[in-house]
Amino acid sequence: MLNTNRIDYKKDLEEVIFMFDGGANLDITHNQVTEGNLFYDEFVLNGEKFTFKNEKNCENLIVLKRFEKRFSKLGLYKILTNYFGENLPWGALTGIRPVKMATTLGANFENEFKKVFEVTDKKIQIVKDIVNVQKNIVDYNGDYEDFFVGIPFCPSRCAYCSFVSEEIGRSKNADEYVNALVTEIENTLPLVKNVRSIYVGGGTPVSISNENLEKILTSLSPLVKSAKEFTVEAGRPDCINEEKLSLLKKYGVTRICVNPQTFHDKTLKLIGRNHTVSEIYEKFALCKKFGFIINTDLIAGLPNEDFFDFKFSVDTAISLGAENITVHTLCLKKGSKLKEQVERLKISKINEMVDYAYDVLTKNGYNPYYLYRQKYTAGNLENVGYAKKGYECLYNANVMEEYSNNIACGANAVSKRVFNLEDRIERYGAPKDIKTYINKVPEIIKNKQELYK
Ligand SMILES: C[S@@+](CC[C@H](N)C(=O)[O-])C[C@H]1O[C@@H](n2cnc3c(N)ncnc32)[C@H](O)[C@@H]1O
Ligand code: SF4
């Protein structure tokens, strides 16, 4: 429990507490007091008092407020590091987009990450690598659009996942959804001026019927010529077949995802993925035959997997020669089956797994090119996309760094209009629920027109 006199950043402080074992049984009081040019952060943790003194170092009120907040977070982080006897990889740094923060801080980022947040050298290095790659692929004044289409259906629900999706075999909504989606896409196309990438994600986009998939691909045809890349997150090997791949090829798709998550049958079964390891190899080879650029998703820390299980999966993905390998760290998501089974993720050697992925992938010519963090992730770690040079997914980097507009269609899709010069973003999110989405498509179209007018 936290009490603070700075309610304006109570949430940030709570995030720091949560990173340590969920903040179990902690009773913390915080007061920040200013005296002339000095400010004091006083914490009482389970009855013990700690005080930190800092000097106000600038006149700009907004910058000063940020500075004060950062030092409160660091003070709390220091106390908790001592209390729990562990340092965290990202130190006191919270938030989804550390790379964006580093880009904003510019040359000073390393110093600030180290001194103000106590981020470890390993994480500073990966951020540095990514900033360097992104200089060549991200346009920081992005006057263009990335176009997203969401298909919320899957063959079955994976135990760790909380994405909005219905089981395709049971859902009665797929046809109606696709019709509504096509209407939305057709009415959204006039908002697009300079498309850079198209991304059809999910769920599992190829779990729907060929007919429905073709309707969606047809509606996207006017964009394909101008786009630099066209990705379909095919995803589940059990939904990939020659017919689906022929369709994707016919409509100009350049990149697809074939996601193993793991190369162990025992784990695939445990997480409810309904496909085998041999099917991953088979479908991967089929996709290669069609000439797609392939991304494979892996997850570190899956149930009952140890360091060597994960190492084997990373090594195997490399040996297959996927152009992109995305390494997620298991995250305990509200609404997932896993969350019903465990309260907290405590995964032995999770840091070693993630470090191994970085070491072996970079040695084999894969560079990290985008990264994001999520709350409730094992070890407070991160998700990282690695790519061979020249094969980075522009969409992934753009959507994470938010320097370009994102026009999104589908249930739960979030459109963003970026005003780079004013350093602000306006967002519009469509309803999550599939039925509500279907019923509200005319209103959704209007709201997006308003956002982009
Ligand atoms: C939107 S999902 C779609 C992928 C596709 N449907 C599939 O399963 O192959 C994108 C990726 O997020 C990752 N993911 C989803 N839930 C996760 C979780 N709780 N922890 C870590 N990674 C997760 C998985 O690697 C997954 O491939
Ligand atoms: S991981 Fe993919 S297939 Fe599994 S439930 Fe989530 S979106 Fe669907």
Side-chain angles (χ1 to χ4, degrees), residues 153-158 160-161 163 165 202-204 236 261 273:
F153 298 98
C154 291
S156 66
R157 180 157 277 283
C158 307
Y160 50 76
C161 189
F163 279 86
S165 87
T204 305
R236 289 270 295 251
Q261 316 298 355
R273 265 182 85 84

Side-chain angles (χ1 to χ4, degrees), residues 31-86:
N31 277 303
Q32 193 174 66
V33 192
T34 305
E35 272 177 23
N37 217 29
L38 297 175
F39 66 93
Y40 297 86
D41 274 300
E42 187 183 285
F43 293 93
V44 180
L45 166 63
N46 293 351
E48 199 180 342
K49 192 165 158 182
F50 304 84
T51 308
F52 299 89
K53 181 170 102 180
N54 288 296
E55 207 171 326
K56 285 185 186 179
N57 66 353
C58 86
E59 296 300 319
N60 181 320
L61 276 181
I62 297 172
V63 178
L64 182 63
K65 203 173 160 198
R66 204 179 299 147
F67 176 77
E68 289 174 345
K69 181 164 83 178
R70 284 180 184 171
F71 272 97
S72 290
K73 282 171 77 176
L74 184 63
L76 183 56
Y77 173 75
K78 281 187 167 148
I79 295 167
L80 294 177
T81 297
N82 196 30
Y83 182 84
F84 285 98
E86 66 169 325

